[in-house]
Amino acid sequence: MAKYRLDYVWLDGYTPVPNLRTKCMMRDFDEFPTLEQLPEWGFDGSSTQQAEGGDSDCVLKPAAVYPDPTRLNGVLVLCEVMLPDGTPHPSNQRATIADDPGTWFGFEQEYFLFQDGRPLGFPEGGYPDPQGEYYCGVGFKNVGSLGRQITDEHLELCIEAGINHEGINAEVAMGQWEFQVFGKGSYKAADDIWMARFLLLRLCEQYEVDIEWHCKPIPGDWNGSGMHCNFSTEYMRETGGKDYFLKLMDAFEEFCEEHIAVYGPDNDKRLTGFHETQSIDKFSWGVADRGASIRVPHSFVKDDAYKGYLEDRRPNSQGDPYQIASRVIKTIQSVPTA
């Protein structure tokens, strides 16, 4: 048998945005452990806003397992938080979501790299050149020396951990980056985003850099950060059709408030109608329109097929992927396919 390092990872009870937490244990296994072999574990919920001090025990229930590419015999264990009686903790959003393995998600996670209280590349007490050349930029003046190093390392870590990381790019504002993750079904897609966030945060510790997830950390004429949600169902991919598409857009408009409610806090600061967004109080869709609530790719409408995937551009960078994916599925399921 060999000793394995198990790093348990969970979401705490802070609102409106939970923090990632972690602690490790050592266990003996003959080989890399399966999810079923991993034990439940306890923690002090009074230190994570998930319990009172007089009755503080909470339970970590393993939900997904990943190899840890930074450790010898390392295991990353993404957990749900449970109460001692075995029921989900009120903060446990994963336990409440709608899921459909036939619904595929591609999340585009934007964020800022911060050091010394400001985005990388921002001069002390001032601003860099206006937006224009930073998006997918190349060269020190556009991306600096550290941003690409961190994002490239993060990509490799995700791939080695089995996360379906699909790419990275520098974003519209200085110090802003994006990575993309694809998954089939709510659980897989959202689990992978949370674990990718964890790996990025942990990686940045060694560079003394923080991740700023807030959707509008720099006021003024600077783009905010989103987590655009690309989605498609089996019906959308195989059948589609204009009539179904229009009914689907009617449903997304009908449930606009329900979507905004789970698309991340402070979204009013980002969804202003400027900087490639639609206003938070409006719903719109448009072909190749990055200022719409839902962008319809040219490939979707090609030959009047209305088949493929759509992009909801409203979720923000602090959004909970469990709740986002669940809300998208609920709205889709409200539209009959026959």
Side-chain angles (χ1 to χ4, degrees):
M1 300 185 81
K3 277 204 174 295
Y4 282 79
R5 171 174 172 150
L6 312 179
D7 282 284
Y8 278 50
V9 180
W10 74 97
L11 299 171
D12 67 18
Y14 280 67
T15 59
V17 180
N19 300 292
L20 285 156
R21 305 279 184 144
T22 185
K23 64 175 184 172
C24 85
M25 71 163 74
M26 304 299 294
R27 285 290 186 272
D28 293 329
F29 295 99
D30 290 325
E31 56 187 6
F32 190 89
T34 65
L35 183 64
E36 293 72 26
Q37 291 177 300
L38 296 170
E40 292 187 351
W41 198 11
F43 72 95
D44 171 19
S46 69
S47 296
T48 61
Q49 296 196 2
Q50 288 168 303
E52 299 295 331
D55 186 14
S56 64
D57 289 350
C58 291
V59 178
L60 296 174
K61 178 182 178 182
V65 60
Y66 303 81
D68 187 342
T70 69
R71 316 283 193 203
L72 177 65
N73 292 339
V75 185
L76 299 171
V77 187
L78 185 63
C79 298
E80 291 188 15
V81 177
M82 312 297 286
L83 296 170
D85 65 5
T87 59
H89 189 277
S91 65
N92 181 351
Q93 297 294 337
R94 190 182 191 275
T96 68
I97 64 174
D99 186 40
D100 170 24
T103 301
W104 298 355
F105 292 96
F107 286 112
E108 303 175 27
Q109 176 71 71
E110 296 176 345
Y111 60 94
F112 279 83
L113 294 169
F114 262 58
Q115 193 171 53
D116 300 324
R118 60 184 185 274
L120 287 182
F122 272 56
E124 186 175 0
Y127 295 91
D129 290 340
Q131 294 183 165
E133 297 184 22
Y134 305 125
Y135 172 69
C136 296
V138 179
F140 177 77
K141 71 171 184 175
N142 290 323
V143 298
S145 60
L146 192 54
R148 196 180 303 280
Q149 181 174 347
I150 289 173
T151 56
D152 282 351
E153 285 188 38
H154 177 244
L155 184 153
E156 296 299 331
L157 290 175
C158 287
I159 295 299
E160 292 178 44
I163 294 169
N164 198 3
H165 190 308
E166 293 217 311
I168 54 177
N169 59 268
E171 263 302 333
V172 177
M174 169 65 86
Q176 187 184 37
W177 292 81
E178 174 189 299
F179 66 84
Q180 302 99 33
V181 168
F182 171 80
K184 297 181 179 181
S186 301
Y187 290 114
K188 178 59 176 171
D191 286 348
D192 281 3
I193 277 287
W194 276 117
M195 188 53 69
R197 287 173 171 176
F198 172 81
L199 287 170
L200 183 59
L201 287 164
R202 195 179 67 176
L203 170 65
C204 285
E205 293 172 0
Q206 69 192 55
Y207 292 105
E208 299 182 356
V209 168
D210 287 312
I211 303 300
E212 178 54 77
W213 304 108
H214 192 273
C215 67
K216 189 69 174 180
I218 309 299
D221 195 20
W222 298 92
N223 271 36
S225 296
M227 189 170 65
H228 304 153
C229 175
N230 301 277
F231 62 91
S232 73
T233 63
E234 183 176 0
Y235 189 86
M236 290 170 60
R237 295 189 297 272
E238 301 297 330
T239 304
K242 186 173 183 178
D243 288 344
Y244 174 76
F245 166 75
L246 293 175
K247 291 176 182 176
L248 189 62
M249 292 301 93
D250 287 343
F252 271 83
E253 183 170 18
E254 177 185 355
F255 294 109
C256 184
E257 291 185 5
E258 288 83 352
H259 282 263
I260 293 298
V262 298
Y263 276 7
D266 297 326
N267 228 356
D268 58 311
K269 296 178 174 61
R270 169 179 163 264
L271 298 181
T272 61
F274 301 98
H275 302 108
E276 301 180 301
T277 70
Q278 177 57 280
S279 297
I280 194 169
D281 58 347
K282 297 179 181 178
F283 175 85
S284 66
W285 62 268
V287 177
D289 186 355
R290 295 183 181 276
S293 307
I294 290 186
R295 181 183 68 87
V296 180
H298 281 291
S299 60
F300 189 88
V301 298
K302 185 178 180 181
D303 300 325
D304 288 328
Y306 287 83
K307 291 167 59 175
Y309 78 94
L310 300 170
E311 178 191 37
D312 192 331
R313 296 180 58 80
R314 297 170 295 171
N316 79 33
S317 48
Q318 284 185 304
D320 179 355
Y322 293 128
Q323 296 187 66
I324 294 168
S326 179
R327 183 62 253 179
V328 168
I329 286 178
K330 289 176 181 178
T331 297
I332 292 172
Q333 289 177 341
S334 73
V335 181
T337 56

